[in-house]
Amino acid sequence: MPSSRTLKPAPVSVGVSIPKLEAGEKVTGRARYVDDIAVPGVLHGRTVRSTVARGRIIRVELDPAFDWRGVVIADHKDIPGENVVALIADDQPLLAADEIRHAEEPILLVAHEDAERAEAARMAVRVEVEPLPAALTVEDALARTALVHGDDNVFKEITIERGDVERGLAESDLVVEGEYRTGWQEQLYIENNGMIAERDGDGLLVRGSLQCPYYVHKALMRIFALAPDRVRVIQTVTGGGFGGKEEYPSMIGGHAALLAWKSGRPVKIVYDRLEDIAATTKRHPSVTRMRVGVMKNGRLVAVDADILMDGGAYVTLSPVVLSRGAIHAAGAYRWRDARIHARAVATHTPPNGAFRGFGAPQTLFATECHLDRIAERLGMDPLALRLANAVRIGDVTPTGQVLKESVGAVDVLTRTAAMADWTRTRERLTRENAAAAAHETRRHRRRAAAPRPGSAPAPSARRLRRGIGLSLALHGAGFTGSGEVRLASRAAISLGADGRPVILTANTEIGQGTITAFSQLVGEALGVPPSFVIVHDPDTRAVPDSGPTVASRTVMVVGGLLEQCARAMRERLELFAETPIAGADEFRRVAKRFLRERGPLKIERQYEKPPGITWDDDTYRGDAYSVFSYAGCAVEVEVDLDTGETTVLNVATAHDIGRAIHPVLAAGQVEGGTVQALGWALLEDVRWKDGRVWNHQLTNYIIPTSADTPPIHVEFVDDPYTYGPRGAKGVGELPMDTPAPAVVAAIAHATGVRADEIPVTPERLLAALAAREKS
């Protein structure tokens, strides 16, 4: 038997930073994004949207002065199935019929073969709406100034309890309270949302820029009352997603498909940047109130957290975003007693949805900021406080989960502190800030005492201060609780006619390196180079449903299934050949002979939870995730006391992601997530007027550029996870969790002002500095 033979050494690719397999097509321009795809006879679709936050549609009128010849028009009455965008709840219509629940809500669709005429047609539609009172904030919603959902405007409510919080607070030496706010954030992927739809016989073919083909497939089945085999969804090359293309493509895909269904012609809808920012989902803003009991020696005893997230006008993914946020609210720390109460609230604003981190960055921001507040009250080093309380193997989370393996919280903290030279840097900056303040005071006194007659005041030197802050976070890999079991994800590998292995999954490449990482895992398991492996396009007619490309699950969960498939295929082929297989040439020779003599070969595996994992959805007790990843982050900043501008000078971050399948791609994920988090912390301020985003363009919605990006030093702590492929855990979302609280801590160290709300824009910081001067 082959298993008893001495196997030839397999090519090693896992853990090696091979060239990114799809990079060549992208850098040479051969990759075709949705707007690059030319379809004969295509119509260009446009969306007529509400301009008010809440109202009742009185009538829709077409301007009689406009030439409507060649224009296809579709509204809710043209929907052959259900007027619903299927997701968690059936509350969001594809097109508004009577009621408007948020600004930018789709009402009518138009299409024309000329894109400019389609836009002109959109502008020639007049929608008369009777405005109604709107609840635009969570405070308004909870006060029930207007009802958005049910009788209390609460989409979802979660309570997690362990121990006796009131007793813990009473027994603590010190109870520290605080409130923390985070704002909306736009995903701002480089490629805007875009979809192409066309009739495919008696069914539909929809292609586009998306993360989750089977989400769109499920939604289209309901909208058009079609059987699964009559709906086909294919992902095109996608220029970024960050969660923004998780659920929203079901909406734009449904719109394109409805126009195609009615017209009988292909329809392409591609948003411009203004529409994309104004109308699509964003990160949920949050308010978190915390009470923490702590002993004088720094031992954390009890945490009581109350969390509010603004879900917008429809449920979308708010319940699961809230769930992850609630579970992560205790941070990477031991608590004897914990109570976490979380609510997702409905408002008359555009629905919020998935964004990298999925609720955890919001609550971890509050927890980490609160840890710094506690350290300040105790007169304790923030690093020492975290090290004293960071979780270790055997500790228990608020859901009752026992942490059994791959718990790198202490390791990432110590590694981060060493990279940043934490103690000496903090002491040095404290001395330098004190010296700068003293120098400025002396200079001010000299000028005040001896002004020069007849001379203009000398220009003031810039008043700069520097500070350093640190944070720690954990992030669950995969779907929360029983989510992975319910998904029952399937992945497969088949043999192509040319004898090469073909990966079959619905998981998408959106820039993060899925194609390369999957090819490395499969190639090494089969004994062939990664470049020999073919990855089939995500196509619902050809690939099984391996679940969505979200939740830091792609490599750990789906990559694990593919590794199982590859091992099984290798075993099958070696049994057939009666000899070990190593190398592409030998694999191809054996595979072709197998195809000739035995016929097609396809190996499929379905997800099975690791042993010992239990979860109760009703009580929120048990193993919330099979494993957590961990990260520490130290950020050094410089603050201009006169302009309020904060410049990030340096970032040091260590991550425990189990084992990095591709170290360079993993480091790229960390660097990209870090920059995105720095933007959330300092720059990205979504501004609203009457329920509408008014800064929906890149001239006034500011994100970090390469000029704003500091040196980012990344290290990985190798702590493999038994049930991850080659020991891998999740990495994609974790980098979003730590930089923002570290920035706030660094600003506090530099200025003495502790911000409780992000982004810390210059205006907010100047106001806080002025308030301190008055107090």
Side-chain angles (χ1 to χ4, degrees):
M1 297 289 289
S3 58
S4 65
R5 297 173 182 266
T6 301
L7 296 178
K8 299 177 183 178
V12 176
S13 59
V14 171
V16 178
S17 297
I18 66 171
K20 198 173 182 182
L21 295 179
E22 77 282 4
E25 289 194 349
K26 292 180 178 178
V27 299
T28 59
R30 295 195 307 271
R32 298 172 72 213
Y33 296 84
V34 66
D35 206 26
D36 299 324
I37 299 172
V39 182
V42 72
L43 303 179
H44 299 275
R46 295 292 186 269
T47 309
V48 177
R49 300 180 180 277
S50 169
T51 59
V52 301
R54 185 184 179 217
R56 186 175 293 108
I57 298 173
I58 304 301
R59 64 178 59 87
V60 177
E61 296 179 342
L62 307 181
D63 186 349
F66 184 80
D67 182 1
W68 292 97
R69 287 176 298 177
V71 178
V72 179
I73 302 168
D75 67 7
H76 67 95
K77 296 186 291 294
D78 294 302
I79 296 171
E82 301 171 69
N83 185 14
V84 64
V85 182
L87 197 58
I88 292 176
D90 291 344
D91 64 332
Q92 186 173 20
L94 182 72
L95 293 168
D98 302 303
E99 179 189 4
I100 298 295
R101 283 175 58 170
H102 67 86
E104 318 305 338
E105 183 155 21
I107 299 171
L108 190 82
L109 305 170
V110 298
H112 192 276
E113 60 187 17
D114 180 86
E116 292 186 2
R117 288 291 295 168
E119 178 62 18
R122 182 191 69 83
M123 297 179 67
V125 177
R126 303 287 181 262
V127 181
E128 184 180 344
V129 176
E130 175 192 354
L132 297 172
L136 300 179
T137 66
V138 291
E139 291 81 7
D140 287 345
L142 291 175
R144 307 183 196 184
T145 59
L147 285 180
V148 192
H149 176 85
D151 59 4
D152 59 0
N153 289 333
V154 175
F155 284 138
K156 178 75 172 179
E157 187 167 10
I158 296 169
T159 300
I160 300 170
E161 291 187 282
R162 180 171 181 264
D164 187 335
V165 166
E166 295 305 328
R167 179 173 67 93
L169 294 172
E171 292 176 356
S172 298
D173 293 331
L174 179 67
V175 174
V176 181
E177 300 188 21
E179 179 179 290
Y180 307 92
R181 292 177 177 261
T182 66
W184 288 264
Q185 187 182 21
E186 164 64 27
Q187 293 90 350
L188 216 74
Y189 23 72
I190 195 167
E191 179 201 22
N192 296 339
N193 271 285
M195 302 290 277
I196 300 171
E198 52 193 301
R199 296 288 291 262
D200 183 16
D202 61 352
L204 281 169
L205 168 62
V206 175
R207 294 174 284 169
S209 183
L210 53 90
Q211 292 179 225
C212 312
Y214 275 95
Y215 278 17
V216 181
H217 185 266
K218 172 186 173 183
L220 292 175
M221 287 169 54
R222 296 277 300 277
I223 294 166
F224 292 90
L226 293 173
D229 61 347
R230 291 174 60 194
V231 177
R232 184 181 184 188
V233 178
I234 304 174
Q235 183 219 15
T236 58
V237 178
T238 297
F242 310 113
K245 294 174 184 173
E246 177 175 349
E247 78 273 31
Y248 198 84
S250 296
M251 175 71 77
I252 184 174
H255 290 164
L258 184 59
L259 286 166
W261 190 265
K262 184 171 183 179
S263 67
R265 295 174 62 177
V267 173
K268 177 188 289 189
I269 299 180
V270 178
Y271 291 169
D272 64 16
R273 185 64 70 183
L274 276 69
E275 183 174 20
D276 206 301
I277 295 178
T280 66
T281 58
K282 293 171 178 52
R283 185 183 299 284
H284 291 67
S286 71
V287 181
T288 302
R289 301 178 182 90
M290 302 200 73
R291 292 193 301 159
V292 166
V294 60
M295 306 307 289
K296 291 179 180 177
N297 64 1
R299 180 173 62 86
L300 299 174
V301 177
V303 57
D304 184 15
D306 184 77
I307 302 157
L308 293 174
M309 290 190 183
D310 185 343
Y314 295 107
V315 171
T316 63
L317 293 168
S318 290
V320 283
V321 171
L322 184 76
S323 174
R324 186 174 284 266
I327 289 169
H328 286 75
Y333 304 106
R334 289 186 305 279
W335 303 94
R336 190 191 74 186
D337 307 302
R339 179 172 59 214
I340 299 162
H341 178 231
R343 289 170 290 173
V345 179
T347 61
H348 286 113
T349 57
N352 296 307
F355 196 145
R356 189 182 207 161
F358 213 72
Q362 292 94 312
T363 57
L364 286 166
F365 171 77
T367 304
E368 288 301 295
C369 287
H370 207 61
L371 261 287
D372 286 313
R373 190 183 296 273
I374 292 167
E376 184 178 46
R377 292 282 297 274
L378 293 174
M380 192 173 182
D381 185 294
L383 172 63
L385 178 64
R386 287 173 168 84
L387 284 172
N389 293 282
V391 291
R392 294 164 169 81
I393 289 178
D395 283 333
V396 182
T397 71
T399 67
Q401 177 171 355
V402 179
L403 301 176
K404 299 174 183 176
E405 66 165 308
S406 192
V407 182
V410 172
D411 289 342
V412 297
L413 260 179
T414 53
R415 186 79 65 87
T416 298
M419 293 166 64
D421 197 10
W422 169 263
T423 301
R424 284 190 293 186
T425 300
R426 185 174 171 83
E427 291 174 349
R428 174 177 57 81
L429 295 180
T430 300
R431 292 194 303 270
E432 291 175 357
N433 289 338
H439 175 73
E440 289 161 6
T441 299
R442 291 193 298 271
R443 185 175 58 200
H444 177 75
R445 287 174 178 169
R446 287 196 299 269
R447 287 178 179 170
R452 291 179 293 173
S455 63
S460 297
R462 294 179 65 193
R463 297 189 302 144
L464 304 176
R465 300 289 186 271
R466 291 189 176 187
I468 189 170
L470 179 139
S471 64
L472 169 68
L474 79 175
H475 200 99
F479 265 42
T480 301
S482 58
E484 291 293 348
V485 174
R486 288 198 303 272
L487 280 174
S489 299
R490 294 175 295 117
I493 301 176
S494 66
L495 285 181
D498 61 353
R500 294 171 67 184
V502 181
I503 290 174
L504 303 171
T505 81
N507 292 90
T508 54
E509 170 66 57
I510 51 176
Q512 81 280 42
T514 295
I515 290 173
T516 301
F518 278 178
S519 299
Q520 286 180 279
L521 287 167
V522 169
E524 185 160 311
L526 290 174
V528 301
S531 58
F532 185 70
V533 179
I534 297 172
V535 180
H536 199 292
D537 289 339
D539 176 346
T540 58
R541 188 165 290 179
V543 304
D545 186 355
S546 55
T549 307
V550 300
S552 303
R553 65 183 297 274
T554 299
V555 165
M556 192 187 82
V557 175
V558 184
L561 293 176
L562 289 172
E563 189 177 51
Q564 294 173 33
C565 293
R567 288 173 177 168
M569 176 172 280
R570 184 172 184 176
E571 182 178 0
R572 179 81 62 87
L573 292 175
E574 288 180 342
L575 283 169
F576 168 76
E578 298 183 340
T579 184
I581 298 173
D585 291 342
E586 191 170 353
F587 185 95
R588 191 196 301 266
R589 178 181 59 78
V590 172
K592 284 187 172 182
R593 185 162 71 88
F594 185 98
L595 292 170
R596 286 195 307 270
E597 298 180 14
R598 300 283 179 87
L601 177 60
K602 178 180 177 182
I603 305 293
E604 184 171 291
R605 291 292 182 268
Q606 182 170 313
Y607 175 81
E608 295 180 3
K609 67 179 181 179
I613 298 294
T614 61
W615 176 258
D616 189 317
D617 284 310
D618 296 325
T619 63
Y620 262 68
R621 301 292 297 169
D623 301 289
Y625 303 95
S626 60
V627 73
F628 290 89
S629 299
Y630 299 85
C633 183
V635 175
E636 186 176 347
V637 304
E638 182 177 77
V639 180
D640 188 317
L641 299 182
D642 296 308
T643 67
E645 182 181 11
T646 299
T647 302
V648 180
L649 302 175
N650 191 64
V651 176
T653 182
H655 282 58
D656 161 25
I657 60 170
R659 185 184 182 197
I661 302 301
H662 190 298
V664 166
L665 287 180
Q669 286 288 291
V670 173
E671 292 165 356
T674 297
V675 174
Q676 211 162 29
L678 294 175
W680 187 47
L682 291 170
L683 301 174
E684 299 183 45
D685 193 13
V686 178
R687 305 302 296 274
W688 297 84
K689 183 177 181 181
D690 299 327
R692 305 187 76 184
V693 178
W694 67 260
N695 60 330
H696 55 114
Q697 51 194 335
L698 292 179
T699 55
N700 49 18
Y701 182 81
I702 308 301
I703 65 169
T705 66
S706 57
D708 303 303
T709 301
I712 301 173
H713 309 279
V714 180
E715 291 188 7
F716 293 110
V717 171
D718 198 22
D719 194 350
Y721 171 50
T722 301
Y723 299 101
R726 303 304 303 273
K729 301 191 290 189
V731 63
E733 296 173 292
L734 179 64
M736 191 78 215
D737 295 333
T738 52
V743 165
V744 167
I747 292 172
H749 182 219
T751 66
V753 169
R754 190 168 297 283
D756 296 330
E757 181 177 4
I758 54 172
V760 188
T761 59
E763 295 84 355
R764 283 196 178 117
L765 184 54
L766 287 174
L769 290 168
R772 184 189 61 177
E773 293 297 323
K774 292 179 181 178
S775 61

